[in-house]
Amino acid sequence: MPRRRVARIAALHAPSAGRAAAVVVALAALCGALAGCGNTYRPVVAAINPVGPAGQPQKYAVAISSPSATANGLVTLVDFSGDTVLVTATLGVNPYYFILNSSGTTGYTLNSDKTVNSFDVSTSLITSQVLETTLLPGANPVSVFPSTSTTYIPDPGLGQIDQLTGTPPALKQELPVAANPVYVVGVSGAPRVYAISQGTGSGAGQVAAIETGGNTISTTLPVGRGPGYGIMTGSAQRAFILNQTDGTVTVINAVSNALDTPVTTIPVGVQPVWADFAPTRNELVVANQGTGTSTGSVSIVSIPLCSATALPANPLCDAANPVDATGFGTVLATVPVGVNPIMVSVLSDGTRAYVANAGVAGLPCSPTGLPQTGYTTCTVSVVNLTSNTVTATIPIAGHPAYIATSNSTPTGKVYVVCKDSQAMTVIETDTDSLDTTIPLQGYGVSVRMTQP
């Protein structure tokens, strides 16, 4: 019999004490192979966190309100995620215009006491940190445009564009333009911006091109009658000027610094007063005020430019200065909305536009949002930009003065302030219904979002 087999049989028939010794030897060998075998084994439990919706981004609604024509105004910072008031600070007397810089970090207001306030958008903001600039005697500013390093203020009282620099903004120079300048059109970092002047009488207006590098006026261009507002594409390649009297939009090629060709003028609705872009759709959405006492509308305009992908087929399509693509300037739809629309704000994903309908001035708002004798309808119209139809009409408890939107996941929000209400209305975009109201301690002037 082989020796190994004899040894195994002997082990199997050995006394129990011997078998125990053999087991101890085997365990010792196993412990040598496993580090830490001499310690007591304790199971480790690893927690698996539940998977839920992504956290909301940190962003804020910044609202401006005014208790009365003689009282100091207020800036209110509201948390996007929780609809809670984080900060309230005091501004100059009765602010009437408000804007944020492109990064949403600094706010500017024009006040009735002929001052300009500037402040950091911060959850630690206090009144003493709100900076103030006093304007020149005779100044009557109507809007503010903060560029990268310069703040421009159109001043029809002095017939000029005030250029301010520094912190707080201080007057650096006065740029002479045509009579009644009202607005500066541009985007931060653009090589030039355009100052809109309405002119005098019933004649045509014009725009002055301000070169932002040297702050000089390089040219002036004619536009339509009664220009009051404008908007520039994020690429700084086209500017659109809304001519209220003519019911048209003038298109400027901001690269060549000339009126656009072949589409120079786009007919829209009666009294166009505001516009916003749906960049994912290459569309311009224009709010047409109408008569102010009847139903207004929004015009949805196609504005595609010749893209870089078209270069092989179209040698005229310069990527740096693209020509208008086929269909540029075509009005895709005119959508009836509420009475006296004053503003439109488009969600950044391009799905919907929200139109603030201020109703007839001097009449109280209908509590139901439906027409009633002695009342006017004050509402927000929701326009689906795929079907170009109104999909919801939301009643507002006041005459809207300003509207701002912001996308997010799982829901975005729409903020509305009213000139006769001391509460800001919040609408959820997943249901297009009222979410809550937020007290402002003053009547609504404006609201803007730090992020889209």
Side-chain angles (χ1 to χ4, degrees), residues 237-254:
Q237 293 176 329
R238 295 291 188 277
F240 299 84
I241 313 300
L242 277 60
N243 306 305
Q244 296 178 13
T245 305
D246 286 346
T248 61
V249 175
T250 298
V251 188
I252 297 173
N253 184 328

Side-chain angles (χ1 to χ4, degrees), residues 168-264:
L171 182 65
K172 183 176 180 63
Q173 69 169 327
E174 303 160 8
L175 299 170
V177 293
N180 294 317
V182 293
Y183 201 79
V184 173
V185 183
V187 292
S188 183
R192 59 181 59 93
V193 296
Y194 292 91
I196 300 175
S197 292
Q198 293 184 333
T200 58
S202 59
Q206 70 174 38
V207 296
I210 302 174
E211 303 297 320
T212 56
N215 286 297
T216 58
I217 295 176
S218 58
T219 191
T220 57
L221 301 170
V223 293
R225 294 180 301 158
Y229 182 75
I231 187 170
M232 180 180 282
T233 59
S235 64
Q237 293 176 329
R238 295 291 188 277
F240 299 84
I241 313 300
L242 277 60
N243 306 305
Q244 296 178 13
T245 305
D246 286 346
T248 61
V249 175
T250 298
V251 188
I252 297 173
N253 184 328
V255 181
S256 60
N257 201 19
L259 295 177
D260 191 36
T261 56
V263 179
T264 300

Side-chain angles (χ1 to χ4, degrees), residues 114 135-141 155-158:
K114 307 301 182 184
L135 298 174
L136 295 173
N140 185 30
D155 193 340
L158 300 175

Side-chain angles (χ1 to χ4, degrees), residues 380-391:
V380 170
S381 298
V382 184
V383 180
N384 184 303
L385 294 179
T386 300
S387 62
N388 292 335
T389 58
V390 173
T391 54

Side-chain angles (χ1 to χ4, degrees), residues 383-444:
V383 180
N384 184 303
L385 294 179
T386 300
S387 62
N388 292 335
T389 58
V390 173
T391 54
T393 301
I394 305 165
I396 302 296
H399 295 78
Y402 215 95
I403 187 170
T405 60
S406 185
N407 273 12
S408 194
T409 301
T411 179
K413 293 181 180 178
V414 180
Y415 298 86
V416 184
V417 296
C418 300
K419 58 186 177 183
D420 52 348
S421 173
Q422 297 195 36
M424 179 166 64
T425 299
V426 184
I427 298 169
E428 290 191 346
T429 61
D430 58 341
T431 59
D432 283 333
S433 61
L434 295 179
D435 175 23
T436 188
T437 57
I438 298 170
L440 296 178
Q441 304 179 41
Y443 297 101

